[in-house]
Amino acid sequence: MTELSVSEALRAALDEELARDERVYVAGEDVGSFGGNFGETRSLQEKYGETRVRDTPLSEVGIAGHALGAAVGGLRPVAELQFADFAATAGDEMINQIPKMGYISGGQFSVPLTVLAPSGAGIRSGAQHSQSVHAWMGSQPGFVVVTLTTPYDAKGLLKSAIRDDNPVFVLPHKNLMGKRGEVPDEEYTLPLGEAAVEREGDDVTVVATQQLFYRAIEAAERLAGEIDVEVVNPRTFAPLDTETIRASVRKTGRLVAVDETPLRYGTQSHIVSEVTTNDFFSLDAPPQTVGVADTPIPFSPPLEDEVIPGTDGIVDAIRDTF
Amino acid sequence: MVHETTASLEDCSAGTIETLLEEMIRIRAFDEAALDQFRDGDVPGFLHLCHGHEASHAGMGTAMEPDDWLAVGGSRLHGQYLVKGVPMREAMAEIYGKATGSNHGKGGSMHLADHERHLYGHAATIGSGQNPAAGLALAQQMRETGNVVVSTIGDGGTSRGSFHTALVFAATWNLPVVYVIENNGFAISYDAGNLPADELSAYGEPLGIPTASVDGMDPVAIHEAVSAAVERARSGGGPTVIESRVVRMRGHFEGDKQQYREDPDAAAGEAHDPLASFRDRLQDRGYLTDAEYEARYADAESTAADAVAYARESEFPEPATAYEDVYVRPLYGQEGTDGGEER
């Protein structure tokens, strides 16, 4: 085991996949000598050259759109958007084109591309650089949408995304790029579409990823001895592994869905709906949801901190299920 | 910068003339058959016909090798599918939404795709196919296949930023791609004459991309221009932008009353018909008799009628197939198929 940061784990995954498969290439703004906004592509261009690690002109439309054609044409692009918010500036490509081309071709085309884009709030970057987009991108059937939480996740899931034959949208969190954790020294991948039970507990299930995962763990530790909290990390939000979540709720009888997407039409509602529809009689109390208030993400630190759920809010929500 | 070609029949091989005529006739016969069926109420959705674009489609299609990719765009598509080699039966069945269509009914007339024949299905949001075309070209360049990508768009699509982005990427990376703008003068009703550029190929000029603006009603002219661009792309010379000036002989879609046109009937007349004018040229030069033309047309009509019968008799897809092809299953790392469909 080696301790790596999330951005180091991403770089290790890219490095290994570039070495493993010559069809893989990385394209995006500043991915070359600049090394990526968070250092995630540092030194890769030196190692693999300008063809395999290619700086692009400044256009998300071009980055996402060309990657679609390249994937149909037999390559495995890793298209980097500097911020996940920019999925909207490439909205036609990200929503109308990429997730639908395999389907409308009647299964003739496969689109094995990865879009890598840091998401989430907390680095004081304002409303257009702080969004969690996995709810609105997750509602596009055809896209696999993955959130990264630990350095272990980051490396294993990015490697799987690159190897998968679907378009995969991979979302590390901006505020976790420096987060460090143990990563195996030997080669490994993590399955897409499968949630992980990260902390076992008997009394209540909390579903959380990215920075709110760590706050959920803090909440669980704060309640230890009083309430035994199980924490599930969905890893893949679309398609969502509802079975693992439902199995946990069948065990605990209680559910708190925590996510950094806005509460209105957010992922929290979908998770709760899956459980109440299918396992209503397993529930001992109404499920609770924790998310961003229905506002854009504000810039000023106290305002931003106000709208992003904190550990206290998760503790309160857990208590509300009793 | 090339602005006009001087296409002449005498410079064209007999084989090319033969193929151009054959493809134009096939396209017209196919669309006439589709129109008849649409009038009978058998064809679902909108119907956009190619009348007036036949020479352009035939000219570009015959300039490509079978392994070159065609990334179709614009709204007039049937002729592009046929000239890329999609059998009439498969194309017609897809327009009907039948299981025997090339996309098994998932695509329809705007999304017909044929991976084996290197036909990229239309993006259908106009102007969104040009960046994927650049990516397809990048794949040819990086994989060193020697293949070229031809990508089509209408005059309307050139106003989308995505089109201009694609030109930037193609020029920056010197990609083997040919962008053909079929300028028929209208984006549904919007008059392309209002656009400031006299020749829409001029959009390539600030990027240093070679351009040409040619008479797309002359199949020899478009064939020569696209052939030269394909050859340049294949030899590493990078992208080209070509304007193919055509006439949209019918409305945007069937049922379009064309109030925006002063005289819709004039546009539909023989004076603007590329098939009639090519026929006349060939007859004037002694390449073709009237009887030979009629016999060829009758043959194509018969093939189109067979395609209609095939499409009509084919089954609709099983409703359950609506859930197939959303994801390639299993996802990476999963065991089993997770209840999904493998493809």
Side-chain angles (χ1 to χ4, degrees):
Chain A
M1 292 289 224
T2 305
E3 196 176 274
L4 295 180
S5 69
V6 168
S7 58
E8 286 167 348
L10 294 173
R11 187 169 71 224
L14 294 171
D15 191 354
E16 289 179 14
E17 294 306 300
L18 282 162
R20 190 186 65 85
D21 185 346
E22 64 179 15
R23 296 171 301 174
V24 175
Y25 73 99
V26 180
E29 289 163 40
D30 308 320
V31 299
S33 59
F34 189 82
N37 255 3
F38 298 90
E40 69 282 2
T41 57
R42 190 174 297 144
S43 77
L44 293 178
Q45 192 179 60
E46 265 174 54
K47 189 167 175 184
Y48 295 98
E50 295 178 0
T51 300
R52 304 278 311 283
V53 180
R54 82 179 34 230
D55 282 313
T56 64
L58 191 160
S59 172
E60 289 76 24
V61 167
I63 294 167
H66 100 274
L68 166 58
V72 170
L75 299 177
R76 289 185 169 268
V78 180
E80 183 171 302
L81 306 179
Q82 289 192 322
F83 292 90
D85 313 67
F86 303 166
T89 64
D92 190 53
E93 286 69 24
M94 291 293 284
I95 291 174
N96 282 324
Q97 306 300 332
I98 291 171
K100 295 176 172 67
M101 285 312 286
Y103 186 77
I104 64 178
S105 74
Q108 296 178 77
F109 292 169
S110 65
V111 184
L113 69 82
T114 302
V115 180
L116 177 64
S119 74
I123 63 167
R124 318 313 189 194
S125 44
Q128 290 126 347
H129 294 72
S130 299
Q131 293 166 92
S132 287
V133 306
H134 45 277
W136 42 271
M137 289 308 300
S139 68
Q140 304 308 318
F143 238 129
V144 176
V145 179
V146 175
T147 56
L148 305 181
T149 299
T150 63
Y152 175 68
D153 279 1
K155 185 173 177 190
L157 291 171
L158 178 56
K159 283 167 67 77
S160 293
I162 292 168
R163 297 181 190 192
D164 191 67
D165 287 332
N166 296 288
V168 186
F169 193 21
V170 177
L171 301 162
H173 195 283
K174 290 157 214 160
N175 216 12
L176 295 180
M177 282 298 196
K179 185 84 181 173
R180 302 188 74 79
E182 294 284 311
V183 172
D185 295 319
E186 62 274 15
E187 155 88 25
Y188 73 100
T189 59
L190 295 173
L192 300 179
E194 293 185 12
V197 178
E198 303 270 12
R199 183 187 196 279
E200 296 206 7
D202 291 328
D203 298 336
V204 56
T205 298
V206 176
V207 180
T209 63
Q210 297 182 323
Q211 64 177 344
L212 298 192
F213 169 82
Y214 295 98
R215 293 176 191 177
I217 293 287
E218 275 176 22
E221 286 165 1
R222 201 182 292 176
L223 292 166
E226 178 191 352
I227 299 170
D228 192 15
V229 180
E230 177 147 305
V231 181
V232 179
N233 172 5
R235 288 184 175 158
T236 302
F237 267 90
L240 182 68
D241 174 10
T242 51
E243 186 45 50
T244 296
I245 296 167
R246 286 168 50 200
S248 174
V249 175
R250 286 196 293 270
K251 180 176 78 170
T252 64
R254 292 178 166 80
L255 171 66
V256 179
V258 179
D259 195 37
E260 210 177 293
T261 51
L263 282 165
R264 190 164 62 201
Y265 309 126
T267 57
Q268 304 91 337
S269 315
H270 177 59
I271 291 166
V272 166
S273 163
E274 285 288 329
V275 171
T276 53
T277 303
N278 296 295
D279 295 284
F280 183 75
F281 295 107
S282 301
L283 287 165
D284 297 323
Q288 297 295 310
T289 57
V290 177
V292 171
D294 294 328
T295 69
I297 304 295
F299 165 70
S300 178
L303 299 182
E304 184 175 33
D305 293 345
E306 165 64 24
V307 302
I308 305 301
T311 304
D312 290 348
I314 299 170
V315 167
D316 291 346
I318 292 170
R319 287 195 191 285
D320 286 345
T321 63
F322 287 88
Chain B
M1 230 69 79
V2 185
H3 281 290
E4 285 290 344
T5 57
T6 48
S8 92
L9 280 178
E10 282 69 27
D11 296 337
C12 207
S13 76
T16 300
I17 291 173
E18 167 77 19
T19 311
L20 290 170
L21 177 66
E22 184 67 22
E23 291 298 325
M24 289 174 69
I25 288 175
R26 275 175 7 98
I27 295 167
R28 176 63 57 84
F30 181 89
D31 261 5
E32 287 288 341
L35 176 57
D36 283 346
Q37 299 307 308
F38 184 79
R39 285 174 171 151
D40 287 348
D42 285 348
V43 176
F46 290 106
L47 186 68
H48 306 82
L49 297 177
C50 298
H51 290 58
H53 287 233
E54 293 90 345
S56 186
H57 293 170
M60 76 178 78
T62 55
M64 302 167 67
E65 295 296 327
D67 281 345
D68 290 332
W69 279 85
L70 179 61
V72 299
S75 294
R76 272 134 256 296
L77 301 160
H78 301 166
Q80 301 181 52
Y81 303 145
L82 296 186
V83 79
K84 196 68 183 82
V86 180
M88 278 197 197
R89 281 182 161 198
E90 284 180 36
M92 193 66 83
E94 188 60 33
I95 289 167
Y96 270 77
K98 295 295 181 77
T100 51
S102 52
N103 306 27
H104 314 304
K106 293 253 180 64
S109 73
M110 295 292 273
H111 296 110
L112 203 133
D114 190 330
H115 192 272
E116 197 176 318
R117 294 186 177 86
H118 286 190
L119 174 69
Y120 181 83
H122 181 21
T125 47
I126 294 291
S128 298
Q130 279 57 44
N131 289 288
L136 274 167
L138 178 67
Q140 310 314 311
Q141 186 187 66
M142 285 180 67
R143 295 173 57 211
E144 299 177 356
T145 64
N147 299 330
V148 167
V149 180
V150 175
S151 172
T152 56
I153 191 170
D155 44 287
T158 63
S159 299
R160 291 261 335 267
S162 52
F163 166 70
H164 297 275
T165 292
L167 298 190
V168 169
F169 275 59
T172 304
W173 290 345
N174 200 44
L175 298 175
V177 56
V178 180
Y179 289 108
V180 177
I181 304 162
E182 292 193 312
N183 181 357
N184 66 22
F186 288 104
I188 302 188
S189 70
Y190 190 80
D191 190 335
N194 294 330
L195 298 171
D198 292 331
E199 294 172 350
L200 297 179
S201 50
Y203 287 136
E205 289 175 10
L207 302 173
I209 301 177
T211 64
S213 177
V214 299
D215 179 3
M217 306 296 275
D218 176 354
V220 179
I222 190 74
H223 174 82
E224 287 187 358
V226 177
S227 295
V230 163
E231 178 51 37
R232 176 163 52 241
R234 211 185 300 286
S235 59
T240 302
V241 181
I242 296 171
E243 177 186 56
S244 169
R245 299 189 307 272
V246 296
V247 170
R248 194 182 76 202
M249 293 171 65
R250 305 188 65 84
H252 171 65
F253 47 76
E254 290 314 301
D256 174 3
K257 294 187 174 54
Q258 304 185 69
Q259 295 104 323
Y260 50 88
R261 258 181 168 158
E262 282 179 19
D263 186 359
D265 291 337
E270 287 231 336
H272 293 293
D273 183 341
L275 179 57
S277 70
F278 195 48
R279 177 200 64 202
D280 292 349
R281 273 168 82 190
L282 295 180
Q283 288 181 354
D284 288 349
R285 309 283 173 98
Y287 286 105
L288 184 73
T289 67
D290 204 34
E292 282 166 353
Y293 177 82
E294 293 302 330
R296 282 164 171 272
Y297 197 86
D299 269 358
E301 274 186 319
S302 153
T303 310
D306 165 74
V308 166
Y310 176 78
R312 290 175 61 124
E313 287 159 17
S314 291
E315 299 292 334
F316 278 109
E318 285 295 322
T321 63
Y323 306 106
E324 295 174 2
D325 306 321
V326 180
Y327 291 104
V328 182
R329 301 274 193 170
L331 301 185
Y332 190 84
Q334 286 184 331
E335 287 182 22
T337 59
D338 196 26
E341 293 295 322
E342 277 194 84
R343 71 166 189 246

